[in-house]
Amino acid sequence: EVHVTVSGGGSVQAGGSLRLSCTAPGFTSNMCVMDWYRQAAGKEHEWISSVDPDGLKTYTASVKGRLTIPEDRPKDTVYLQMNNLQLEDTAMYSCKTQTDSWCYGGGVYWGQGTQVTVSS
């Protein structure tokens, strides 16, 4: 298994910011498209953002402008910058590879997740 590491979560007041990090060896060299997901308590996984090897980013409409993938992407690293966090953003956040043959042979690999808790 490819080991994907997610970090940066924590507790923050509404309106605050956090920066999550997703890393795994070979993200860059294998030209992986990376996804960010979140799962709130009692709800299903929700796709929130993707970035491809060319830096093209897509977002679900509900988070665009607040949760972003920064332009700066160090080797084998994808960030999720979260600004103006709201109570509804409370969730477990994780990243994963997309299913492309050139990315680890097409396997899907998830990070362990990091909890983000937003309070009023």
Side-chain angles (χ1 to χ4, degrees):
E1 288 283 297
V2 176
H3 190 69
V4 180
T5 301
V6 185
S7 62
S11 298
V12 64
Q13 289 185 280
S17 299
L18 288 171
R19 188 182 180 101
L20 307 185
S21 178
C22 170
T23 64
F27 278 3
T28 300
S29 62
N30 283 279
M31 303 294 285
C32 296
V33 179
M34 301 299 300
D35 292 330
W36 281 101
Y37 277 80
R38 67 184 179 186
Q39 185 175 29
K43 298 182 179 179
E44 296 182 349
H45 285 278
E46 177 190 17
W47 173 86
I48 54 176
S49 186
S50 297
V51 59
D52 76 7
D54 293 326
L56 179 64
K57 303 151 192 173
T58 55
Y59 303 91
T60 190
S62 64
V63 306
K64 193 169 186 178
R66 298 190 304 108
L67 279 62
T68 62
I69 297 175
E71 199 73 22
D72 182 25
R73 186 184 171 184
K75 182 181 178 181
D76 296 337
T77 300
V78 178
Y79 296 120
L80 183 67
Q81 180 67 45
M82 303 187 293
N83 297 325
N84 192 24
L85 285 162
Q86 304 298 309
L87 295 176
E88 65 190 17
D89 295 317
T90 295
M92 188 278 289
Y93 287 74
S94 190
C95 62
K96 63 173 285 290
T97 59
Q98 289 194 10
T99 305
D100 291 307
S101 62
W102 55 86
C103 174
Y104 307 118
V108 177
Y109 299 99
W110 285 85
Q112 83 284 3
T114 187
Q115 179 67 38
V116 172
T117 302
V118 184
S119 63
S120 60

